[in-house]
Structures are given as C-alpha cells and as structure tokens.
C-alpha cells in the first residue's frame, strides 16, 4: 500500500488530468437540456452567489413565470471552465441551492433553468464565476469501506461499480480505478456509482475507490472488488419484469434486457402456457396481454429464447362484490433503509397492486435514466433494486409528483399508465373506483383535469367506494402552509359533491390521518384524508400543533398504508416499515348504495301481445346483493319483475303500438337507475278474421280425390281477405292426434281458398288455419270430417 504522501501527490496529478478531459460521471448522466419553448417558462432572475467557503456556497436566483406555472428549477454547475453539468433540481418554490462538496481554490459558475409541466424548459440564467477559498484540509480522508464496494457485470462490455460514502466530513468526490489505473472522477453530489463501458467480453477486472477532499487529497484505496464481463452476446434481464395498466381483461408486462433483443411473455392461470411475442429488437419491452379473466391470478415469465425470468404473478382487476387490498405509498424512491423495508413488507403483504401517491423516485440532478445501455441509473439504484420483488408479484399504478417532471419524460416512458393522458386517469377494482390526479397540472374550474374529475366521479356514483389519489394534500399539519390551499379551494368541493370516501396524498414526508371532514371540519359521513408521505425519503417533522381535524399523525416512522376494500367496509392500516406492524387504523362503513344501471335490454316479440326481454347485470351491484329487476315499457303500462333472473316477458301489450323497454336493478337500498332503452318492437295490428269451410264432400270412396274450399273474411266487414296463406291440416277422424299440414294455398280476392287432389285413404278430420302475419293474428276454422267408404270392386266374372 502506498504512503499517504504518495497518495496525495499521485491523486493531484490524476485529478488534474481528469478535470482537463472533463471525464466525470456527472457529465455522463447529465440530460441534454431541451430547447426553451416559446410559450414555456421565462428565464429565471439574476443569480447571486454568497457565503462562499472552501467547499460551500449559497446560490440564489429570481423566480421564473409561465402559463403552466413552474414545477422546479434545474441547477447546472461549471467547474474550472469545463462544461455546465446538471447536478440538482429544486422543488417549485425553492429558489436557492446550497452548493456543498466543492473543491478549494477552484473556479465555479452556475446556471439555472426553469421547468414547467409541459414539460418544457426556460433559457438558462448564468451566474458570474467565483472562486472558492483555499482548502484548510490536512491529512487524507477516510476511504469508503471496502465491503461497500460492489461490481456487477451488466453486459459483455459493461460493469457497474457502486460504493458507500466516506465517513470523513470533508469529501468532494471519488476516484475510480480499474486494475490500478484511474478511469473516472465522480464529483459530488453525483451518485456513488460508475458504469465502466467498452470492456472485453468474458474478462475479469478489479476496481478500487479513493475519496477526495476539498484539497484534492486522496484517501487510501479500498480493497479491490473483482467482476467478470459476460460472455460475448450474452443477454440477461436487467430490469423487471413488472406489470402496469391492469384492467379486468388486460395488462401490460414490461422488462428491459442488457442488449437489444426480441422477447416473449408466457402466461397462464396455473403455469405459463400462452405466449405473446414482442418482435421489436430493443432494450425496453412492453407487451399487452388481452382476453384475460377478471379477478384471476396469472403466472408469467418474460425473456428471450436464451434467458427467462423466474415465474412471477399478477392479478387482474377484481369484479364487483369481491374483497381485496392494495398498498398506497408516496415519497419513497430515495434508496433509504426505510424504502427497502417498505418494499419488502409490501412484497409479502398479500396486496393486489401498488398505488403510489407521487414522488416515486428522487433523481440525481433530475436525470434518473439518461441512457440505460451505458449508465446504471437512479431507476435501478433507487426503485427497481428495492421494489423489484414487490413489482414481480403486484401491478403498479403510479401517480405523478413533482419529481416525475424532473427527467424530461423518462418516468412515463418506463411505466405505461392507463388512458391516453399520463397525468390523470381512473380505474375500477372490485367495488372501488379510483381516480388518480396530477397536482402538477392545472385543476381550476377552467382546466381539463377539473372537468374530467367532475365527469369521472359523476359517472361512478353507483360504485360503493370512490377513492381519489393526489400528491398535494388537502390537509396536512406539517406546517402552517403544508395544506394545499388550491386543492382545498378547487377540488375538495368536487370530492364532496362526488361522495368521495377516501383521499390519499403525499408530499409531506410523514403520516397523517384526518377525521371524516366536510369543508375542513369533522363531520359524520365526511371524507377521510390520509397523507402517506413516509415512504422512505426522509421525514418532515410537524411544526404546528395537531388541528381539530387531525385524528392521528406520525413523523418518525417510515410507512405505507394498506387499504382493504369490501362491499361493506373500507379499512386503512398504516404499517410501520421497521416492524411491519400496524400503528394506526381506520374503518369506513359503506353507506347503503343502490345498484348501477343494467345493460340495455334486447326485446323480441313473443306472441302477438307480449315481448321477451334479456339484459346484462350492472357492473356495480351497490352495497348489497341484487334482489330483483323491474322492466317497464314506454309508453307506460306493462311491466315484468324477476327475483334476480336477467330475463322476463312483458305481456298485455297493445297491438299496433311501438314499445321500448328499460330495466332497473334493486337491492336492500332500493332501486337503482334505469338502463338505456331497448330496441323498439311493435305488436301486430289485429284485423279480426273468420275462416270456414264452404264446400267439400262429407264422404268419399277410398282412393278418390276430393276438393275442399274455404272462405277467409274479416268479421268486422264480412269482406274477403286476400293474399294470405291458409293451411289445410288433417288428422285421422275420431282421434286426438296432432293435426299435420297437408297443403298450403293463398286466399283469392274474394277470400276463397281451394285444396284439391287430396287422396283420402281413411276417414279424416280437416281444419283450415290462417298463418299469422304482422297485420293479422290468424284464425282457425271448425273441423270438417270426410268419411271414407270402401271402393266398389271391379269383378269381371259378375257381368
């Protein structure tokens, strides 16, 4: 091992070379700055740099404005005249940045860029360069612990190296060595990781890390950590699989491979047996599965012909009447022990899916996934590493927070979300309708999101439970300003109008549950508001006393909320991450709700004065099982009822009247809304008719032919009825056998009808029967019996 003097000298030489070549990890992960949009944010105001020390400075700037508002500010840093590198993104109202981990006697400058929710960026504002004070550091910093260093082969040409931080207080960066040769300098606040690209397939390499203080003095190296690149062309699943955008009958399965490949999903209800191919040759794969069965657990694998994932599971949306649970979590993707604990607990919680409330990942500098093929990113280090097992067994429904807007759309490219608008959407699961909002987008009465929510809630009043998810909390007692006044003013009235039961939020990094509230005051039958912002990215302590509306709050635990839903009750349990135990619980009992509207019935004429109706059951059964259906006709009058069957016959319809029908379902709470109208039907108009025999023999010799005539007349006028079909029907005389048709003729202009050449072989009873039409109901004559007598024998000997 080298002496400290050797380390200091060589480190300074190497650092100077690295700075000259601008080879920094921050440069590798910096996102390309988008061009400023004409209607986007204005450039931030002038930058002031103050409180300059050897390794810190305070950067302050003026606010930006824009038609969509501002969701944050990107902070770029220039070191010693090099490129401007994205190092941080601040939240909406924060117009300062405390720069730390700087090098002494070094020239710096900063640029600030504003972001809106389009997302679009402003033109940059640049500070006047400044120089930090000379470092007073002595000695060398402590190296990272050797046990914290890990090297993972990503592909045949890339190895990812990660390490823990030095325990020294004065650390400005780290040097990365491969086989004793420095290959990179990672300047803080960049993540403690480096992706080494361009290696040789199937080759072993050893990595060490040294810490740099503000004087650019290097620590001793860590112990070497060896890794071997994969064999040439080896494919592996580098991220996923996971399932999103799940409905009762479909789902999207996503995963990433370390090298461009085609792929396949195999799935089935017991073992994977059905497959869907992804023919696209790429890193990211997203396959839509359709034709699934509601409320069913599917087992699936993903991969290529050479590599497959282990078998994972997901459940389709449960049908109405089912009980289920889901995990709600927010403000979690920061790679803390609390996040890992929550992820492990959710993976074994028996929940059907994960509903986030926003700020799902805290990106380094706002660029979490700059280039998957070359860089180990925040998605990998802060989300998939912790939540991989949970996401392999449960689908995910992400909500947007402000952090999701910091990466120029990378989050939405990774997580396919429901609907055509990533920002807000809704879905149904069991008896619950869940509306997911985006507090970074406008929601005043003039905004599309407001109109959408108003319509969405109104259309789902038959659901037992309406749950809303939005990052910004309507009620939070973290501070005097942590409750979102815009949410209170614009959305809370909609929540109340729409009979919402539960609102889930984050943003405040703690847990808080309200009493049931109406207009912010405790009230029976009000809305319960829960902040579940203790997902894992630090805590916000409560700065004010608990208000009257606050029922329970906690700012020391990391937590998630397990929501259990049945047709009768909704229970929200806050689960402590460290112990996996419930520390707060609230149950909301379902109010009596009526069923939703059944499907439009199909009407078919059944006889001349009745119609047969069939329909589908409503998707929402209400708070109790359906006890019956009622079909009503329009014009009003006839109806029919069932005790649960989805078909019945309406009788006593008026001939010649056109009817449509609607059906409504009933349960213990009463009758629900009527269905859409059926197709129209018109019972035939009756013109009374009479049908009788006019002539024909009463007896005939066996083997002879006969002629039978009849007359079809209207009984109201005695006029003949023409052009109507009449059947001659027969059966053996003096029997009760069924009549069978032995001839059909059309009535003449006078209404007469004739049947001839009917051979009589025995005594026969005949009737005439008119075939019913839309105009005539039909009629049947009285019977006529023709007696057959033996034929005279032809006896030649008797002449």
């Amino acid at each position: 091992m080298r002496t400290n003097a050797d380390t200091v000298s060589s480190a300074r030489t190497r650092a100077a070379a690295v700075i000259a070549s601008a080879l920094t990890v921050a440069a590798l992960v910096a996102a390309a700055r988008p061009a400023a949009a004409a209607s986007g944010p204005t450039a931030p105001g002038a930058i002031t740099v103050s409180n300059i020390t050897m390794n810190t400075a305070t950067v302050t700037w003026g606010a930006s404005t824009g038609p969509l508002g501002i969701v944050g500010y990107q902070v770029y840093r220039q070191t010693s005249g090099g490129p401007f590198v994205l190092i941080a993104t601040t939240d909406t109202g924060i117009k300062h940045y405390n720069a730390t981990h700087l090098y002494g006697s070094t020239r710096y400058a900063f640029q600030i860029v504003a972001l809106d929710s389009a997302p679009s960026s402003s033109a940059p504002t640049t500070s006047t360069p400044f120089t930090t004070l000379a470092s007073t550091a002595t000695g060398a910093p402590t190296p990272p612990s050797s046990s914290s260093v890990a090297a993972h082969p990503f592909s045949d040409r890339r190895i990812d190296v990660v390490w823990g931080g030095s325990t020294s207080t004065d650390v400005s960066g780290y040097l990365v060595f491969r086989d004793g040769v420095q290959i990179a300098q990672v300047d803080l606040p960049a993540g403690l990781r480096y992706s080494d690209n361009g290696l040789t397939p199937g080759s072993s390499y050893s990595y060490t890390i040294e810490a740099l203080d503000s004087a650019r003095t290097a620590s001793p190296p860590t112990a070497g950590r060896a890794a071997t690149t994969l064999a040439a062309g080896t494919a592996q699943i580098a991220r996923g699989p996971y399932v999103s955008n799940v409905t009762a009958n479909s789902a999207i399965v996503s995963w990433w491979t370390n090298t461009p490949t085609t792929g396949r999903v195999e799935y089935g209800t017991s073992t994977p047996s059905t497959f869907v191919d992804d023919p696209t040759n790429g890193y990211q794969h997203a396959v839509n599965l359709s034709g699934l069965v509601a409320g069913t657990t599917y087992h699936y694998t993903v991969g290529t012909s050479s590599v497959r994932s282990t078998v994972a599971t997901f459940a389709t949306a449960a049908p109405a009447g089912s009980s289920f649970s889901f995990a709600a979590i927010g403000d979690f993707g920061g790679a803390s022990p609390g996040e890992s604990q929550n992820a492990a607990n959710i993976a074994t919680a028996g929940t059907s899916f994960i509903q986030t409330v926003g700020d799902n990942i805290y990106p380094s500098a706002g660029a979490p996934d700059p280039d998957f093929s070359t860089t180990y990113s925040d998605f990998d280090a802060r989300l998939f590493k912790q939540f991989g097992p949970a996401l392999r067994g449960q689908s995910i429904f992400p909500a947007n927070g402000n952090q999701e807007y910091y990466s120029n759309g990378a989050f939405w490219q990774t997580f396919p979300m429901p609907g055509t608008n990533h920002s807000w959407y809704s879905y149904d699961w069991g008896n619950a309708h869940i509306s997911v909002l985006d507090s970074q987008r406008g929601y005043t009465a003039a905004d599309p999101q407001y109109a959408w929510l108003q319509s969405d809630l109104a259309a789902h009043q038959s659901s037992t439970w309406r749950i809303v998810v939005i990052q910004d909390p309507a009620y939070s007692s973290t501070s005097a300003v942590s409750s979102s006044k815009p949410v209170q003013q614009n959305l809370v009235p909609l929540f109340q109008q729409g009979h919402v039961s539960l609102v889930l939020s984050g943003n405040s990094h703690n847990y808080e549950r309200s009493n049931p509230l109406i207009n912010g005051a405790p009230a029976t039958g009000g809305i319960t508001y829960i902040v579940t912002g203790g997902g894992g990215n630090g805590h916000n302590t409560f700065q004010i006393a608990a208000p009257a509306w606050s029922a329970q709050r906690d700012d020391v635990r990391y937590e998630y909320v397990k929501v259990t839903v049945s047709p009768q009750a909704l229970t929200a349990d806050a689960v402590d991450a460290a112990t996996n135990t419930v520390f707060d619980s609230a149950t909301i009992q379902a109010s009596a709700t009526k069923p939703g509207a059944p499907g439009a019935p199909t009407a078919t004429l059944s006889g001349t004065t009745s119609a047969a109706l069939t329909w589908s059951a409503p998707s929402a059964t209400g708070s109790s099982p359906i006890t019956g259906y009622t079909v009503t006709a329009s014009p009003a009058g006839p109806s029919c009822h069932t005790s649960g069957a989805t078909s019945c016959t309406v009788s006593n319809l008026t001939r010649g009247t056109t009817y449509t029908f609607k059906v409504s379902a009933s349960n213990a709470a009463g009758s629900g809304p009527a269905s859409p109208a059926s197709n129209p039907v018109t019972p035939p108009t009756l013109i009374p008719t009479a049908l009788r025999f006019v002539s024909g023999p009463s007896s005939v010799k066996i083997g002879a032919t006969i002629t039978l005539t009849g007359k079809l007349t209207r009984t109201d006028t005695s006029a003949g009825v023409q052009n109507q079909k009449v059947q001659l029907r027969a059966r053996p005389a003096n029997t009760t056998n069924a009549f069978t048709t032995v001839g059909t003729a059309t009535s003449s202009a006078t209404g007469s009808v004739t049947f001839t050449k009917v051979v009589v072989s025995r005594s026969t009873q005949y009737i005439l029967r008119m075939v019913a039409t839309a105009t005539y109901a039909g009629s049947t004559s009285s019977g006529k019996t023709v007696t057959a007598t033996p034929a005279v024998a032809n006896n030649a000997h008797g002449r």
Side-chain angles (χ1 to χ4, degrees):
M1 179 178 290
R2 292 171 293 177
T3 64
N4 286 344
D6 291 336
T7 302
V8 171
S9 175
S10 61
R12 286 175 175 164
T13 301
R14 292 191 302 266
V18 170
I19 291 172
S21 63
L23 179 59
T24 65
V25 168
L28 289 174
V29 302
R33 182 183 302 151
S39 59
T42 62
I47 300 173
T48 300
V49 181
S50 60
N51 304 321
I52 300 170
T53 72
M54 68 178 186
N55 55 9
T56 63
T58 300
V59 183
T60 307
W61 58 89
S64 176
T65 60
L68 299 179
I70 305 300
V71 299
Y73 295 93
Q74 291 179 325
V75 180
Y76 290 79
R77 184 180 68 194
Q78 181 192 57
T79 305
S80 300
F84 279 95
V85 174
L86 179 62
I87 61 169
T89 305
T90 70
D91 289 352
T92 305
I94 299 177
K95 297 182 291 297
H96 65 272
Y97 175 70
N98 294 320
T100 60
H101 306 292
L102 303 178
Y103 293 103
S105 303
T106 301
R107 184 179 175 87
Y108 289 98
F110 285 87
Q111 281 186 344
I112 307 298
V113 173
L115 300 174
D116 68 12
S117 60
S120 59
S121 304
S122 73
T125 297
T126 305
S127 74
T128 300
F130 66 95
T131 300
T132 53
L133 303 181
S135 174
T136 60
T138 59
T142 302
S145 68
S146 294
S147 61
S148 73
V149 181
H152 305 284
F154 174 84
S155 67
D156 57 3
R157 295 185 177 274
R158 170 180 151 193
I159 292 176
D160 297 322
V161 185
V162 298
W163 61 90
S166 167
T167 58
S168 297
T169 57
D170 181 17
V171 175
S172 297
Y174 294 87
L175 302 177
V176 182
F177 295 82
R178 181 209 310 136
D179 296 334
V181 177
Q182 182 185 326
I183 57 172
Q185 177 176 319
V186 179
D187 290 337
L188 296 177
L192 306 186
R193 52 185 179 268
Y194 177 72
S195 293
D196 190 14
N197 291 274
L199 304 176
T200 301
S203 298
S204 179
Y205 300 90
S206 179
Y207 296 88
T208 57
I209 307 296
E210 297 178 6
L212 284 177
D213 64 13
S214 58
R216 303 186 188 275
T217 302
S219 73
T222 62
R225 183 68 63 186
T228 301
T229 52
L230 302 179
T234 301
Q236 67 177 358
I237 297 169
R239 179 187 293 169
Y242 59 92
V243 181
S244 63
N245 202 356
V246 177
T247 71
N249 308 114
S250 65
I252 295 178
V253 179
S254 301
W255 73 100
W256 299 63
T257 49
N258 66 329
T259 187
T261 68
T262 57
R264 169 177 287 190
V265 178
E266 295 185 9
Y267 65 99
T269 55
S270 56
T271 58
S273 56
T274 301
F275 67 86
V276 178
D277 284 329
D278 177 12
T280 303
N281 189 41
Y283 291 98
Q284 185 176 12
H285 306 269
V287 174
N288 182 64
L289 307 183
S290 60
L292 307 179
V293 178
T296 301
T297 296
Y298 285 88
H299 301 254
Y300 74 101
T301 65
V302 304
T304 69
S305 58
S306 61
V307 60
R308 303 294 298 173
S309 69
T310 58
V311 177
T313 62
F314 71 91
T316 50
S322 305
S323 296
F324 67 94
S325 62
F326 67 91
I329 188 170
D331 305 270
F332 57 95
S336 73
E339 179 191 7
S340 297
Q341 291 167 344
N342 273 325
N345 296 339
I346 291 172
T348 59
T351 43
S352 296
F353 59 89
I354 301 168
Q355 173 65 67
T356 79
V357 301
D359 283 1
N360 310 301
I361 181 171
Y362 287 80
S364 295
D369 213 10
D371 189 344
F372 174 81
S373 65
T374 62
T375 306
Y376 184 70
S377 75
D378 282 348
F379 276 171
D380 301 299
R382 301 186 179 190
L383 184 60
F384 286 104
K385 176 182 177 181
Q386 295 80 7
F387 273 86
L391 293 177
R392 282 192 287 271
Q394 302 177 46
S395 53
I396 184 170
F397 289 89
N400 289 336
N402 52 300
Q403 298 290 326
E404 280 64 64
Y405 282 90
Y406 293 172
S407 59
N408 299 320
F411 184 83
W412 304 302
Q413 294 168 11
T414 301
F415 284 99
M417 292 156 68
T420 57
N421 186 328
H422 294 306
S423 299
W424 55 83
Y425 60 90
S426 64
Y427 59 99
D428 296 294
W429 206 289
N431 287 59
H433 179 73
I434 302 174
S435 306
V436 183
L437 304 180
D438 185 345
S439 53
Q440 303 306 304
R441 297 293 184 106
Y443 48 79
T444 68
D447 291 312
Q449 184 170 203
Y450 180 99
W452 173 86
L453 177 63
Q454 187 175 44
S455 175
D456 184 63
L457 293 177
H460 292 88
Q461 288 302 295
S462 59
S463 298
T464 307
W465 308 104
R466 281 160 298 283
I467 300 172
V468 171
V469 177
I470 183 170
Q471 186 198 28
D472 287 357
Y475 300 99
S476 164
S477 64
T478 300
S479 69
V481 296
S482 57
S483 294
S484 172
K485 296 301 181 183
V487 172
Q488 288 183 4
Q489 295 166 2
N490 295 289
L491 296 182
V492 166
L494 274 188
F495 299 162
Q496 295 172 174
Q497 173 187 320
H499 306 290
V500 171
S501 302
L502 176 66
V503 176
L504 297 166
S505 296
N507 203 48
S508 293
H509 291 198
N510 47 46
Y511 170 81
E512 187 162 20
R513 174 176 59 84
S514 78
N515 290 300
L517 303 179
I518 296 294
N519 297 327
T524 301
I527 301 171
T528 298
Y529 295 83
I530 292 179
V531 174
T532 176
N537 197 58
H539 289 104
N540 297 142
T541 57
F542 292 106
Q543 302 297 316
I544 61 175
W549 54 258
S550 182
Q552 181 71 28
R553 62 184 194 170
D554 185 281
D555 59 7
V556 297
R557 293 179 173 93
Y558 289 118
E559 49 72 34
Y560 80 94
V561 173
K562 181 177 182 179
V563 182
T564 302
V565 180
S566 75
Q568 294 76 36
L570 182 156
T571 298
D573 292 324
V575 181
D576 181 7
T579 63
N580 199 22
T581 58
V582 175
F583 66 90
D584 181 52
S585 183
T587 297
I588 306 169
Q589 296 295 332
S591 56
T593 56
K594 301 173 183 178
T602 299
T604 305
L605 283 176
S606 175
T608 56
T609 59
S610 62
L613 281 301
T614 59
W615 59 89
S616 59
S619 58
T621 59
S623 57
S624 59
I626 291 175
T627 55
Y629 294 94
T630 298
V631 176
T632 55
S634 178
S639 64
C640 63
H641 306 271
T642 78
S643 297
T646 54
S647 64
C648 68
T649 299
V650 178
S651 302
N652 301 317
L653 303 177
T654 300
R655 295 177 181 276
T657 300
T658 299
Y659 289 93
T660 58
F661 304 88
K662 295 182 178 181
V663 58
S664 59
S666 300
N667 64 7
S671 180
S675 70
S678 73
N679 57 292
V681 294
T682 304
T685 301
L686 174 64
I687 299 178
T689 59
L691 185 58
R692 58 189 174 86
F693 280 103
V694 174
S695 65
S698 297
S699 63
V700 68
K701 299 294 185 180
I702 294 174
T705 61
I706 62 173
T707 298
L708 297 173
T709 60
K711 189 68 176 290
L712 178 62
T713 58
R714 283 176 50 182
T715 58
D716 55 341
T717 63
S718 298
V721 178
Q722 62 179 326
N723 298 326
Q724 301 300 312
K725 297 293 184 182
V726 176
Q727 297 171 336
L728 177 65
R729 312 197 78 194
R731 70 180 179 186
N734 303 315
T735 71
T736 58
N737 294 357
F739 285 97
T740 59
T741 301
V742 294
T744 301
T746 301
S747 61
S748 68
T750 61
S752 64
V753 61
T754 302
F755 296 92
T756 60
K757 297 183 180 180
V758 177
V759 178
V760 176
S761 59
R762 59 175 294 183
S763 298
T764 304
Q765 184 182 23
Y766 295 95
I767 59 172
L768 298 172
R769 183 177 181 180
M770 175 192 171
V771 178
T773 68
T775 303
Y776 296 96
S779 62
T780 303
S781 71
S782 58
K784 178 178 182 59
T785 299
V786 177
T787 302
T789 60
V792 177
N794 184 10
N795 188 346
H797 298 285
R799 290 179 180 175

